[in-house]
Every structure is written in C-alpha cells, then in structure tokens.
Amino acid sequence: NLETMVPDEPIGVPDGEKQSTKWISNYDDQFKGMIPLREALAESRNAVAIWLTGQIGIGSVLRTSRILGVQTRLQPYATTALGASEVNLLELANAYRTMASGILAEPYVIRKIVRDSVEVAEDKEHGRSTVDVDDSALALIQEGLRGVVRIPTGTAHSLDSKVFPIAVMGKTGTTNEFRDALFVGSTFGPEGITVAVRIGFDDNRSLGSKETGGRVALPVFKELMLRVYREKLVGPV
C-alpha cells in the first residue's frame, strides 16, 4: 500500500549496449533511504521505480499497461518504468483517463454531428468498458497520483492552492537532458477530463537546464483546466 516502506537507494540495471551496469539516479542526485511509497511516487524517485519493477516483474508492468489502453509495444526492460519506451501523447492521456475513471474508452475526435433540424447526421459513439483492474488497486493509484499534488515535496504541489480549487491526480515527466517536459493530469470519474501536455522541440534539442515537467508543462495544464471548469465546458468538479 502507499505507506509501505521502499528503498530509495543506489540501484543498477544491465546496460546491454555497453555490457555493463547502468546506475539509476534521482533528479536531485540524492537518495533518502527507506521512505513510504506515497512519498516516492510524489517525488518521482527513479530508484524506487526501478526497485519496484524488479519486485513485481516487468511482465506485470507491460500487461497492466495494455489493460489501461497502451497499444504501443513497450520494451521489456526495467527502465521502461522510467519512460524508456516511447508512447505517443494520446495513448499516455488515455491511460491516465482510464486510471482516473476505471473505464477504458477508445479516443476519437468527433463524437456526433447534428444538423440544424436536430437530425443526427453522423454518430460515432464508441463503446466503453470497465477495465479489468481491482477496484482497490485503482483507488490506490488514484490516491497516489493525488499525492503528487497534495504532498508539499510533490513535483506538482504548485497545483495545491486556492487559485486552483480542482481536485486532480497527475504526474510530471522530464526526459534526459531536459529534452521533453510533460504533465498529465485528470479529474475523477466517468465525467472527468484529462489533459496531457508535452513541451519540446521537434529537433530534440534541450529545453534548457532545470526545465522540468513541473516547471514548463504544468502551467499549461493549469491554465487549460481552470478555463474548462470556469466556462463549464464539462460537468461539476
């Protein structure tokens, strides 16, 4: 559970190309020792993610990703837990929507076209299905991702303020050398909304030192979400 103590300690994984060991570091280049899983998730402790993957097996990670809607083939490496396997932003958003709602729905652009006469010209309502994941597991991941915002040391704690009165779960992401900054956040339940933001250059150059997902992508999410709910584009929070 989220209070389980986990090791934030130096850990290595095989580096196949160099036939050596790749040592995993955290963003702050520090290790905190034994910490609650809730804290590790909120602070994006890479070492814990790799350790946990070793405990449950990368096969479990890959199977669960497919259940949540990720169709891209992920590599069976421990570092996939840190984002080493690329997926497109739409798939990432859909997985978070599934975790926030417990419902898997195929994304589509236009749901329905209605003429002035109220005649439905085209209806592409897609089916939705409940995911085959234990309800208690969904509740744990929702609460864990809520902690990314709520916990003072969480990477998205800036959303926990009076100027953002919306209950959200989410996760920041930053790729090597600050090439990509991401934030994916969701409100809860079937009527909730998910926003995924990726900031980066098309030529894959760095955004610059310290340009993380929490610093660069999260403000875009915040502005969009506030406007969506202020203008009542979706239902109540």
Side-chain angles (χ1 to χ4, degrees):
N1 60 54
L2 294 173
E3 304 310 322
T4 299
M5 301 300 288
V6 292
D8 181 25
E9 299 170 346
I11 188 170
V13 296
D15 188 337
E17 294 182 359
K18 298 179 180 179
Q19 295 184 337
S20 60
T21 298
K22 177 181 176 63
W23 290 96
I24 303 300
S25 61
N26 293 315
Y27 174 71
D28 59 5
D29 289 324
Q30 297 179 4
F31 298 97
K32 302 178 74 172
M34 300 300 292
I35 58 175
L37 181 57
R38 182 192 303 273
E39 181 180 336
L41 179 60
E43 297 181 359
S44 292
R45 310 305 288 184
N46 293 336
V48 173
I50 293 295
W51 177 85
L52 190 59
T53 300
Q55 297 299 302
I56 65 176
I58 188 63
S60 294
V61 176
L62 302 186
R63 285 192 298 274
T64 303
S65 71
R66 286 193 290 272
I67 290 172
L68 296 175
V70 175
Q71 298 177 1
T72 299
R73 183 178 181 274
L74 304 180
Q75 299 300 320
Y77 309 139
T79 49
T80 287
L82 304 179
S85 294
E86 293 184 0
V87 297
N88 65 56
L89 196 61
L90 181 58
E91 278 192 335
L92 191 61
N94 200 40
Y96 275 77
R97 177 93 297 271
T98 303
M99 287 188 288
S101 66
I103 294 173
L104 176 61
E106 182 181 347
Y108 49 93
V109 178
I110 297 175
R111 184 180 67 184
K112 186 182 296 184
I113 299 174
V114 182
R115 303 186 194 278
D116 291 340
S117 62
V118 195
E119 174 192 359
V120 176
E122 188 171 2
D123 189 345
K124 291 189 175 181
E125 187 76 51
H126 286 57
R128 307 196 304 180
S129 59
T130 303
V131 292
D132 185 21
V133 176
D134 185 78
D135 287 345
S136 62
L138 278 175
L140 280 174
I141 193 61
Q142 289 171 0
E143 174 63 18
L145 290 172
R146 183 82 178 103
V148 178
V149 176
R150 281 177 168 169
I151 295 175
T153 54
T155 57
H157 185 60
S158 61
L159 292 178
D160 190 28
S161 68
K162 292 181 180 179
V163 298
F164 191 80
I166 303 170
V168 297
M169 56 173 253
K171 192 72 182 65
T172 56
T174 308
T175 60
N176 290 347
E177 299 178 14
F178 305 100
R179 291 193 178 99
D180 301 271
L182 299 103
F183 184 78
V184 186
S186 297
T187 48
F188 300 88
E191 302 305 317
I193 186 172
T194 295
V195 173
V197 180
R198 177 259 177 184
I199 306 292
F201 292 110
D202 289 343
D203 61 7
N204 205 32
R205 71 182 186 273
S206 175
L207 291 166
S209 179
K210 309 297 182 183
E211 297 297 318
T212 64
R215 175 180 168 88
V216 181
L218 185 147
V220 179
F221 166 87
K222 181 178 179 180
E223 182 177 341
L224 283 170
M225 194 66 84
L226 282 173
R227 184 169 180 179
V228 162
Y229 281 100
R230 187 182 298 126
E231 298 184 8
K232 296 181 170 57
L233 300 181
V234 296
V237 178

